Amino acid sequence: MLRRFLSVALLTFSFLMPSSSQIILIGRNQEIEIGKEVAAILEKQYGVWNDPEQTHRIERIGRSLVAVCERKDMPYTFKILNERKELNAMAVSGGFIYITRALLEALESDDEIAFVLGHEIGHISGDHIRKQLSQAMVGSILLDILTGNASQLVRIGSEMLFALYQSGYSRQHERDADTRSVRYMKAAGYNPISAIIALRRLGSERYKGLIRWFGTHPDVPSRIERIAKMLGVDPETLQPLPQGASIGRPAKLSETLFYISDNALFRLSPKDSSPQKVWYLANYKLEDFEVSSDGKTFWLLVRRNGSEIVHLTVFKEGDRKTDFLTYFFANEVKDFKRSPNNKWLAVFAKEDGKTFVKLFESVGKEVSPTDRTPLGNISAISWTNENKLLVFTERFSEKVIAVIVPNETVRFISTNTSSAPTIVNFCGDQTLIALSEETLQQGRLEGEQVTFRLIASPVSAFAANGKQIAIVKDRKLQIGKFVEKNFQTETIDEREVEFSELSISGDGQWLAYTYRTKLSEPAQLWLAHLPSKQLWRIAVKVSKPKFSGR
């Protein structure tokens, strides 16, 4: 009865005092005596696992953390409770630190154990237990206890400590214990990244229902994000974040971004607090997509899993169904682009080793692009601002550009390039930017010829918008512009990693790109605000980022 009364008292009076209160009514000796009583009960209830090797292990780790903590006036002890199912760890006032055998066996390194033990030491060195017990004792119902003898205070404190374990620490104290633990780990020579690894492991489905260590505050993602921010690392890859980088949604996004993740189409708009799923169809792979200028109509290239048939479909904002317009055979879709007026769709694809271009009206009707004129070996496509489709190809051993106007006769113009471009952006004012064999070139469309000149090399990817050009040069992400005839660049993301799939927003303020440290890792979506050079990681397992206003 007394335990239930004090549990209610603890929960009641915790609302009467601010959590930041520094009032401590329990002295050091009383804290130790309370801890002894609670420790004896815990050890009787669970038993102690006296494996010499593992006991020495946690004592060694625990002592190294105590040596760098703020409070060393406690007679710290470290023991393993012989509990095989429940994953838990706890700090008892007076410096009694316990970890269950189940939790110890779930952790895979000394570094991970150091985070758990450091967290519990943090509760003691941060006076979290004494503060919360003292906070409950401030109430007038319990003030008379303070005038009684010490043994009565110890007994009541023990009862209240059990109530504290049931209700859990405050969020402020949990955050503080995490912070202290990471600090102790660094000072004692443990890898602080393991704090994230441990939280990620214990928060997985494997331990769902068994982990008690999170208490009443099991918000693992936010804890991971806080620690990652403290350490300056990406919580997904655990790699150092570049200068000026953040995790989550940018505050100043001015244009809607779309991308593919897990065969679903996602949207991040200026008004959304997080990315929203726009489209998904079970058993279909989303190859590529295009979005209308107003961001409300979506043309999707999809194929049923394992099929060689690619379907051109359309989905409109507010509709519940996907309309299948037409289909074609292709082993690989290399590019998909809509015309600036939203009337035409161009598909660049490959089938049985041969490249081809298909041209469709926005309603799905196919249009013959060349009136049976062979296009040759195609390498890239791009629309001009005048809704002309430029097809870069090789015909009769000559690098040429086929200029296609829907429902009109195709014409070919020559170029001075010796290698076929694989990525092309038309930048208006008859200017082209093309990437050929890691050489970035600028060309001008004049009459029956395009003359290219070298801009930069070696370049592995680029995107262009007006006078701004984003490039990946020497494995670094850079933004460049022309100053008179000279191309000048500055670094946006200094990590020497794998950048690809660059896209610049229509207003030129934002750059979207994918990043990975190696090809075997899933691609991450990043956003760069070009004027401020600030970076945000948005999502993982992403491809085809595109802005609606481009």
Side-chain angles (χ1 to χ4, degrees):
M1 181 66 182
L2 178 60
R3 178 175 296 183
R4 188 172 71 177
F5 166 75
L6 288 170
S7 299
V8 175
L10 174 61
L11 295 174
T12 301
F13 290 112
S14 65
F15 291 100
L16 301 180
M17 288 288 292
S19 60
S20 61
S21 172
Q22 299 299 307
I23 297 176
I24 297 179
L25 303 176
I26 300 171
R28 175 184 179 276
N29 292 337
Q30 292 167 334
E31 179 182 4
I32 294 173
E33 290 303 314
I34 291 172
K36 286 181 178 179
E37 286 210 5
V38 175
I41 296 172
L42 286 173
E43 292 181 21
K44 182 178 179 181
Q45 178 179 345
Y46 291 102
V48 175
W49 188 40
N50 288 315
D51 179 274
E53 182 179 349
Q54 293 302 324
T55 299
H56 174 72
R57 183 188 187 194
I58 66 163
E59 285 180 346
R60 170 178 53 82
I61 297 171
R63 297 292 173 198
S64 66
L65 297 168
V66 168
V68 296
C69 79
E70 298 86 351
R71 192 178 182 195
K72 302 180 179 66
D73 64 334
M74 291 288 103
Y76 288 94
T77 63
F78 299 88
K79 295 184 179 181
I80 306 168
L81 295 178
N82 195 23
E83 167 58 48
R84 301 297 301 274
K85 293 183 179 180
E86 182 179 300
L87 283 73
N88 205 354
M90 61 198 73
V92 178
S93 59
F96 299 90
I97 307 294
Y98 293 97
I99 182 172
T100 64
R101 183 176 175 180
L103 178 53
L104 179 63
E105 292 174 344
L107 300 172
E108 295 188 359
S109 68
D110 285 4
D111 299 288
E112 293 179 39
I113 295 170
F115 170 64
V116 172
L117 297 181
H119 179 96
E120 300 307 326
I121 294 170
H123 281 311
I124 293 174
S125 61
D127 273 330
H128 301 159
I129 302 172
R130 287 203 297 174
K131 287 176 183 177
Q132 289 198 227
L133 290 179
S134 298
Q135 181 177 318
M137 289 180 176
V138 169
S140 58
I141 296 176
L142 298 177
L143 281 178
D144 59 321
I145 295 174
L146 301 180
T147 62
N149 57 48
S151 62
Q152 185 182 15
L153 178 60
V154 170
R155 181 174 60 82
I156 299 302
S158 301
E159 293 280 355
M160 296 184 70
L161 191 54
F162 274 107
L164 171 61
Y165 291 149
Q166 294 299 318
S167 62
Y169 293 101
S170 69
R171 289 186 181 273
Q172 177 183 340
H173 286 164
E174 290 289 353
R175 288 193 293 265
D176 184 53
D178 279 350
T179 300
R180 291 173 186 268
S181 181
V182 171
R183 190 164 65 240
Y184 303 157
M185 291 174 71
K186 294 171 70 174
Y190 296 101
N191 182 2
I193 298 295
S194 294
I196 298 175
I197 296 173
L199 285 171
R200 187 184 291 172
R201 187 190 317 284
L202 298 176
S204 66
E205 284 293 319
R206 177 182 178 183
Y207 297 115
K208 188 175 182 180
L210 299 175
I211 179 69
R212 291 290 304 277
W213 188 55
F214 296 145
T216 58
H217 307 299
D219 190 3
V220 177
S222 67
R223 290 176 69 178
I224 289 175
E225 190 169 319
R226 281 191 70 255
I227 294 173
K229 188 174 183 180
M230 286 173 53
L231 300 176
V233 300
D234 187 323
E236 293 291 337
T237 66
L238 306 183
Q239 297 295 318
L241 288 170
Q243 184 177 0
S246 301
I247 303 299
R249 178 189 181 279
K252 299 178 287 187
L253 188 62
S254 59
E255 196 166 312
T256 301
L257 175 68
F258 297 88
Y259 61 89
I260 298 174
S261 179
D262 289 329
N263 285 320
L265 182 64
F266 284 82
R267 169 180 59 207
L268 180 63
S269 73
K271 64 180 181 180
D272 291 332
S273 58
S274 60
Q276 306 294 314
K277 184 183 291 187
V278 177
W279 179 93
Y280 173 75
L281 193 60
N283 301 319
Y284 277 87
K285 179 183 178 183
L286 178 54
E287 294 274 358
D288 207 339
F289 69 95
E290 273 295 323
V291 185
S292 61
S293 301
D294 61 6
K296 295 182 178 181
T297 301
F298 309 91
W299 295 278
L300 314 168
L301 293 180
V302 302
R303 74 168 86 226
R304 187 174 287 276
N305 293 337
S307 173
E308 294 185 1
I309 299 175
V310 178
H311 297 269
L312 172 61
T313 69
V314 64
F315 175 78
K316 295 185 178 181
E317 187 78 27
D319 288 353
R320 294 187 176 183
K321 67 174 183 175
T322 301
D323 291 328
F324 283 67
L325 303 178
T326 188
Y327 67 90
F328 56 91
F329 289 87
N331 300 130
E332 179 185 1
V333 174
K334 301 180 73 67
D335 205 354
F336 182 39
K337 284 184 168 65
R338 66 165 174 82
S339 62
N341 63 5
N342 295 325
K343 290 184 177 181
W344 310 100
L345 302 166
V347 178
F348 172 30
K350 195 172 184 179
E351 171 71 8
D352 294 334
K354 296 182 180 180
T355 57
F356 62 90
V357 168
K358 282 191 172 290
L359 190 60
F360 301 96
E361 295 180 355
S362 61
V363 293
K365 181 181 178 181
E366 184 173 358
V367 178
S368 177
T370 64
D371 193 22
R372 297 186 180 182
T373 302
L375 287 179
N377 187 20
I378 303 165
S379 63
I381 62 173
S382 180
W383 287 98
T384 72
N385 292 341
E386 293 79 26
N387 302 296
K388 298 177 181 179
L389 180 64
L390 305 182
V391 179
F392 294 77
T393 184
E394 180 177 352
R395 297 177 77 242
F396 312 116
S397 300
E398 182 183 2
K399 305 299 187 298
V400 297
I401 301 174
V403 182
I404 299 173
V405 179
N407 299 317
E408 294 185 16
T409 303
V410 64
R411 68 186 181 96
F412 292 89
I413 59 178
S414 62
T415 72
N416 67 333
T417 183
S418 59
S419 56
T422 52
I423 308 175
V424 179
N425 276 182
F426 187 82
C427 298
D429 193 28
Q430 306 302 304
T431 300
L432 296 168
I433 306 295
L435 180 62
S436 302
E437 296 183 350
E438 295 194 333
T439 298
L440 193 67
Q441 304 176 73
Q442 181 190 42
R444 188 165 181 81
L445 182 62
E446 294 179 324
E448 299 301 313
Q449 185 174 10
V450 175
T451 303
F452 286 101
R453 72 180 183 93
L454 174 67
I455 298 177
S457 180
V459 175
S460 59
F462 84 95
N465 185 315
K467 296 181 179 180
Q468 291 193 107
I469 304 175
I471 65 173
V472 179
K473 185 177 185 295
D474 298 324
R475 302 187 72 199
K476 293 183 179 180
L477 183 63
Q478 303 175 358
I479 189 72
K481 62 180 179 179
F482 288 99
V483 178
E484 295 181 349
K485 290 187 177 182
N486 296 319
F487 185 62
Q488 300 181 359
T489 64
E490 58 180 322
T491 300
I492 294 295
D493 193 333
E494 75 274 11
R495 296 171 291 181
E496 295 184 3
V497 293
E498 183 76 22
F499 296 103
S500 60
E501 300 191 273
L502 281 56
S503 178
I504 299 180
S505 62
D507 60 9
Q509 297 289 301
W510 295 90
L511 170 66
Y513 58 97
T514 60
Y515 141 87
R516 58 182 123 199
T517 56
K518 50 188 177 181
L519 291 175
S520 59
E521 292 184 349
Q524 301 178 30
L525 173 62
W526 282 76
L527 270 177
H529 184 239
L530 298 179
S532 66
K533 310 299 186 295
Q534 288 182 285
L535 308 177
W536 288 266
R537 184 182 59 76
I538 304 301
V540 295
K541 298 181 181 178
V542 170
S543 64
K544 307 289 185 181
K546 298 180 182 182
F547 288 97
S548 60
R550 61 173 178 38

